[in-house]
C-alpha cells in the first residue's frame, strides 16, 4: 500500500492506484470528462487536474499516487484551471442546451454548473466547422457538441474492436469521424450504440422516432401495439431517478397503457418462441450433421458484425429471427387473425435497450407478411422521453400486467437481456427435449455473470455438449478466432453485441463517467432479470401456455413450414 495525504487527510491506497482512485478512498470525487476506467485512460481533457505540494498541476486520472505525496483537489488554482478548461471547451461548443436531448443529464452542463462557469462565451472566437451526420440507420452525430474526449473512439476500438471512428486532422481542426470523413452509414459500423452510451454530451444520439409513435397513437385508423424487450424493465427506472437495478416492469406496462397503446405486449413472449425454434434447430443440427457450432442470432449488432467481419461463419448463425422480429411477424399474422384486424392497420412498435434494433427492422427478409414485421423501434431512453412529454408521473403509477396472449413470457425469456441468458433458456428447453425428463433445477449458473467469455460442458442424454458465451464484440472476435483456428470447439455459442448483454445496450439510460467507473451497472441490471426469472412460476419456454397454444392452433411444430416462413431469416455474406 501507499500512504499519502489528500486535502490534509491521511489516505492509504493500494500500490498502483492513481490519485483519482486514492481520492475516492477518501470519499472525494474528482470531476472527470474523458476518463473511462480500462477503456479511455488518456488524461486528455484536464478536468481532473489536482495540485501537488510543489504547486504543480497534474491530471489525477493517470497520475500515480506515491508514498508521502500531498495532494490538494480544491485549491483556487485547481478550481480556476478547471473553469478555464471548461470555458475553452464551451467556446467551441454548440450551446443550444435548451433543446438538446442531453439537457439535464449532460456531463458538460453539470460540470459547468458545478464549477460556476458564469461566462460560457468567455473565449468565443472561431468555431471548428462541422456537419451533422445522419447517414446511419440508428444514430446522429453532431460534432458541434463534441468535446473531443474520445470516449466513443475508445469504446469502439478497445471494447468492440471495430474502430470505425477516430480523430481526423490536427489542432483546432481536430474532429471525430470516420476515415476519409465518410458517413457512419457507409462504414462497417454495426449500430451497437456503445459510443452513444458513453458520450458525455449530446454529440451522439439515437435517431428519435417518438414523434412517429405519438402520431400513430393519435391516428384512430391505426391499431398500435407495443412490445418491450427484457432488459428495458431493468433500466427504465434510472431515467426517473430510481437506483440502478430497480425492476419497473409493472410501472412500465402502466405507463405504456397511459400513453395510449392499444395493446401492451412483451418481447418475452417471442423470446420463448425463439427458444422453441432455436432449440429445435440446435437438436436438428446435432442429430443430422448440420453446421456447428450453432451461434445465436438475436443481437442485430452481432449479426451485422458477423456478416462484415466473419462472413465465412454466417452459416453458423441460427436462422431464427430475433425475438423482436418474431414478435412482429406473429403480431401481423396470428394476432391479427385472432383479433380480426387487417395487418395493414397494425402499427407494431418495439421498445428496446438497443440502437441496432432500429437497423434490424429495415433488414431484408424481415417482412414475413409482405410488410415490415416491426414498424418503429425506439430505445429505453426514447420511451422515457415519451412518458415525460405525456406528463405521466411514472413513480406514482401502479404496477400493471401485460396484455394476453402476446404479453405472456416465462422466466427463461426475461433472462435473455443478460449475457448467458439465451444460452440458459435454450439449455432448459433443449435438455428436457433430448432427455424427455424434467430438470431437477432449471439453473445453469456457469453461464451467468458479466465475464466477457464463459465456457461450460454439460452431459446431455449421454452426449458431451460444449457451449460458450461471449458478450461485447471484442470478446466475440477472440472467441471466434479460437474456433476458426481449431484451438477451441463448441456445439453452441451465444453472442451478444454489447458487453454484459442487452442490459448494457446502446439504447439504455446513460450513466455519467463517475458512475460507470465505480458501479457494476450491468451486474445490477442483470440481477433484476434473474430475480424476475426466479419469481416466475413458469421458467421454461416450452411450458409457456400462450406459446403452446400458438403451436397447437397455428404453427404446428417447431421448425414447421409455417414457422420457417414467419420466424426464420437469411444473412448476407
Ligand atoms: Fe435484447 Fe432480445 S434479449 S436482443 O438483448 O434475443 O435489444 O433486452 O429484446 O430481439 O428477447 C435487446 C434485450 C431483446 C431480441 C429478446 C433477444
Amino acid at each position: 500500500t501507499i500512504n499519502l495525504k489528500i486535502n490534509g487527510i491521511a489516505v492509504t491506497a493500494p500500490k498502483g492506484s492513481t490519485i483519482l482512485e486514492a481520492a475516492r478512498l477518501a470519499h472525494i470525487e474528482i470531476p472527470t470528462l474523458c476518463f473511462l476506467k480500462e477503456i479511455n485512460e488518456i488524461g486528455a481533457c484536464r478536468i481532473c487536474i489536482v495540485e501537488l505540494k510543489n504547486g504543480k498541476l497534474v491530471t489525477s486520472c493517470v497520475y500515480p499516487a506515491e508514498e508521502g505525496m500531498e495532494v490538494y483537489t480544491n485549491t483556487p488554482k485547481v478550481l480556476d484551471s478547471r473553469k478555464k478548461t471548461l470555458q475553452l471547451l464551451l467556446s467551441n461548443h454548440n450551446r443550444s442546451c435548451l433543446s438538446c436531448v442531453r439537457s439535464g443529464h449532460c456531463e458538460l452542463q453539470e460540470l459547468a454548473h458545478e464549477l460556476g462557469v458564469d461566462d460560457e462565451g468567455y473565449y468565443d472566437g472561431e468555431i471548428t466547422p462541422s456537419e451533422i451526420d445522419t447517414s446511419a440507420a440508428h444514430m446522429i452525430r453532431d460534432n458541434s457538441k463534441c468535446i473531443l474526449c474520445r470516449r466513443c473512439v475508445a469504446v469502439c476500438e478497445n471494447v468492440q474492436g471495430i474502430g470505425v471512428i477516430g480523430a481526423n486532422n490536427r489542432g483546432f481542426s481536430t474532429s471525430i469521424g470516420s476515415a476519409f470523413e465518410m458517413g457512419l452509414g457507409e462504414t462497417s459500423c454495426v449500430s451497437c450504440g456503445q459510443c452513444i452510451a458513453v458520450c458525455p454530451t449530446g454529440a451522439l444520439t439515437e435517431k428519435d422516432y417518438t414523434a412517429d409513435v405519438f402520431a400513430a397513437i393519435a391516428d384512430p385508423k391505426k391499431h398500435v401495439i407495443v412490445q418491450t424487450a427484457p432488459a428495458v424493465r431493468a433500466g427504465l427506472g434510472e431515467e426517473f431517478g430510481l437506483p440502478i437495478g430497480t425492476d419497473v416492469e409493472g410501472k412500465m406496462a402502466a405507463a405504456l397503457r397511459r400513453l395510449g397503446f392499444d395493446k401492451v405486449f412483451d418481447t418475452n413472449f417471442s423470446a420463448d418462441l425463439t427458444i422453441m425454434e432455436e432449440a429445435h434447430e440446435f437438436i436438428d443440427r446435432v442429430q443430422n450433421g448440420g453446421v456447428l457450432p450453432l451461434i445465436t442470432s438475436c443481437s442485430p449488432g452481432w449479426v451485422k458484425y458477423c456478416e462484415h467481419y466473419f462472413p465465412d461463419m454466417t452459416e453458423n448463425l441460427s436462422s431464427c429471427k430475433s425475438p423482436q422480429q418474431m414478435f412482429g411477424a406473429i403480431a401481423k399474422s396470428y394476432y391479427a387473425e385472432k383479433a380480426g384486424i387487417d395487418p395493414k392497420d397494425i402499427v407494431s412498435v418495439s421498445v428496446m435497450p438497443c440502437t441496432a434494433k432500429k437497423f434490424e427492422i429495415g433488414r431484408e427478409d424481415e417482412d414475413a407478411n409482405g410488410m415490415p414485421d416491426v414498424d418503429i423501434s425506439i430505445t429505453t431512453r426514447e420511451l422515457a422521453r415519451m412518458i415525460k412529454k405525456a406528463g405521466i408521473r411514472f413513480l406514482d403509477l401502479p404496477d400493471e400486467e401485460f396484455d394476453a396472449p402476446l404479453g405472456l413470457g416465462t422466466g427463461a425469456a426475461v433472462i435473455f437481456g443478460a449475457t448467458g441468458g439465451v444460452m440458459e433458456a435454450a439449455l432448459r428447453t433443449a435438455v428436457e427435449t433430448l432427455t424427455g425428463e424434467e430438470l431437477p433445477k432449471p439453473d445453469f449458473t456457469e453461464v451467468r455473470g458479466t465475464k466477457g467469455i464463459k465456457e461450460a460442458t454439460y452431459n446431455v442424454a449421454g452426449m458431451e455438449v460444449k457451449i460458450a458465451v461471449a458478450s461485447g464484440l471484442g470478446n466475440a472476435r477472440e472467441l471466434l478466432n479460437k474456433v476458426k483456428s481449431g484451438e477451441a470447439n463448441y456445439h453452441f455459442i451465444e453472442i451478444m453485441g454489447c458487453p454484459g448483454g442487452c442490459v448494457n445496450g446502446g439504447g439504455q439510460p446513460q450513466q455519467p463517467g463517475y458512475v460507470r467507473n465505480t458501479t457494476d451497472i450491468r451486474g445490477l441490471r442483470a440481477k433484476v432479470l434473474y430475480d424476475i426469472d426466479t419469481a416466475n412460476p413458469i421458467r421454461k419456454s416450452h411450458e409457456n401456455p400462450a406459446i403452446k397454444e400458438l403451436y397447437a392452433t397455428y404453427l404446428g411444430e417447431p421448425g414447421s413450414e409455417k414457422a420457417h416462413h414467419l420466424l426464420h431469416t437469411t444473412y448476407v455474406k
Side-chain angles (χ1 to χ4, degrees), residues 229-232 267-268 271 298-300 322-325 352-354 357 360 413 416-417 422 496 501-503:
V232 177
T267 313
N268 286 5
C298 33
S299 164
S322 74
Q324 167 180 267
Q325 298 301 120
M352 295 281 140
C354 176
K357 293 280 173 195
E360 185 180 41
F416 265 55
V422 180
M496 284 292 173
C502 296
V503 286

Side-chain angles (χ1 to χ4, degrees), residues 301-351:
W302 146 244
V303 168
K304 200 171 173 193
Y305 180 83
C306 184
E307 290 175 333
H308 275 299
Y309 298 90
F310 287 88
D312 49 338
M313 292 192 85
T314 49
E315 282 168 17
N316 295 80
L317 286 175
S318 161
S319 65
C320 288
K321 287 180 180 174
S322 74
Q324 167 180 267
Q325 298 301 120
M326 284 199 185
F327 180 94
I330 290 296
K332 290 189 182 178
S333 56
Y334 171 72
Y335 168 72
E337 266 178 48
K338 239 175 123 97
I341 300 167
D342 183 342
K344 285 198 227 50
D345 293 332
I346 294 180
V347 179
S348 179
V349 178
S350 72
V351 186

Side-chain angles (χ1 to χ4, degrees), residues 21 42 45 47 62 127 140 148 151 154 168 202 224 271 274 285 296 319 327 333 357 400 429 446 453 504 521 533 548:
E21 287 164 338
I42 56 174
C45 75
I47 285 293
V62 287
I127 296 274
I140 293 175
L148 301 175
R151 285 190 194 171
N168 290 333
V224 189
T274 303
R285 287 198 193 196
T296 59
S319 65
F327 180 94
S333 56
K357 293 280 173 195
E400 291 185 5
T429 289
E446 298 78 5
I453 299 178
N504 187 38
I521 300 173
D533 168 33
K548 282 196 211 167

Side-chain angles (χ1 to χ4, degrees), residues 248-263:
V248 294
E249 184 179 273
K251 287 193 192 316
M252 176 178 74
L256 291 164
R257 212 160 268 131
R258 280 151 186 76
L259 279 169
F261 287 101
D262 292 300
K263 289 287 174 191

